[in-house]
Amino acid sequence: MKNPFLVGERIYLRPLERTDVPLLQAWINDQDVIRNLLNFRPMNVQAEEEFVDKVTRDPDLITLGIALRSDDRLIGNVALHRIQSRDRQAGFGILIGEKEEWSRGYGTEATRLIVRYGFDALNLHRIWLHVLEHNERGRRAYEKVGFRVEGVLRQSAFREGRYWDTITMGILRGELIDAPPASGQNPPARKRRSARARPAR
Ligand SMILES: CC(C)(COP(=O)(O)OP(=O)(O)OC[C@H]1O[C@@H](n2cnc3c(N)ncnc32)[C@H](O)[C@@H]1OP(=O)(O)O)[C@@H](O)C(=O)NCCC(=O)NCCS
């Protein structure tokens, strides 16, 4: 492992480096990825370098890269943002940019790692997130960790020519669901769900 900060079973979370910029830039300009995100802008190298510099400085933000323990490959990043000291709460965000790694359980594991860190190390009371209604993969991952639906922001996101609902989810300290016991087998093959009518972001 290279510079691990939080270590899981198959992944670890580590600080982002400027050398990660080409990967981060490729992900954040990939329409398949950003169709799931709430906020995005086209990012050039300079903008991405500023992002990496910012996340190491901003006291209200913890952003970590998601790397595979098997080969140290960076596959995404995960964050707690808008960390509020009085209310002891923060927002959560995640992006796995390597699309061939989707639905292999890494997003669930990364979410669980940083949520546990938020409760146990940052002394948070609540962590919230926003997810677009069509992002069933994300919703399922968050539910497995213990996030619950708290509300629906109706037609709040305009993507691909129409409005979509944004779902707000939250998890309180004590609601984190531990990972099921390891089976001792290899990582599961990527599960394929039947493709739904391709929704917009
Ligand atoms: C959302 C994201 C973080 C999830 O991580 P992941 O590693 O792909 O997800 P996981 O494998 O941990 O969990 C996904 C779950 O959703 C299920 N799933 C996949 N496609 C699904 C679908 N169309 N409908 C319902 N469930 C689906 C998977 O089978 C899995 O559940 P299971 O373990 O019970 O079978 C990742 O896919 C990603 O970064 N996507 C692009 C950017 C993004 O969406 N960011 C989040 C914005 S809120």
Side-chain angles (χ1 to χ4, degrees), residues 54-70:
K54 176 178 184 293
V55 301
T56 56
R57 280 198 312 265
D58 188 339
D60 300 328
L61 178 66
I62 301 275
T63 299
L64 294 161
I66 305 169
L68 298 182
R69 288 186 64 169
S70 56

Side-chain angles (χ1 to χ4, degrees), residues 26 124 142 198:
L124 295 179
Y142 311 143
R198 184 172 168 81

Side-chain angles (χ1 to χ4, degrees), residues 76-195:
N77 54 61
V78 64
L80 292 174
H81 57 88
R82 290 194 233 175
I83 299 170
Q84 291 175 275
S85 54
R86 186 175 70 173
D87 300 328
R88 305 308 323 160
Q89 67 170 342
F92 164 87
I94 186 168
L95 181 165
I96 293 182
E98 296 295 317
K99 293 182 276 188
E100 74 275 14
E101 305 298 351
W102 287 355
S103 289
R104 296 181 66 97
Y106 298 134
T108 302
E109 193 177 337
T111 302
R112 191 175 275 120
L113 273 176
I114 201 162
V115 166
R116 181 173 289 121
Y117 175 77
F119 290 137
D120 292 353
L122 302 183
N123 191 27
L124 295 179
H125 174 67
R126 174 176 183 269
I127 298 172
W128 55 269
L129 65 83
H130 288 173
V131 58
L132 296 176
E133 65 170 296
H134 65 73
N135 192 351
E136 298 188 50
R137 184 182 290 111
R139 287 163 62 180
R140 174 79 190 119
Y142 311 143
E143 280 167 4
K144 284 192 291 178
V145 171
F147 279 91
R148 304 181 192 182
V149 173
E150 294 180 337
V152 176
L153 309 176
R154 295 178 304 147
Q155 300 191 21
S156 52
F158 188 78
R159 303 284 189 281
E160 297 174 6
R162 57 158 283 194
Y163 286 100
W164 299 88
D165 293 346
T166 303
I167 296 164
T168 70
M169 301 180 79
I171 183 170
L172 302 180
R173 186 200 284 270
E175 293 177 345
L176 183 64
I177 299 171
D178 284 330
S183 62
Q185 293 172 345
N186 291 329
R190 184 153 60 115
K191 295 170 198 147
R192 294 193 186 277
R193 298 279 171 136
S194 57

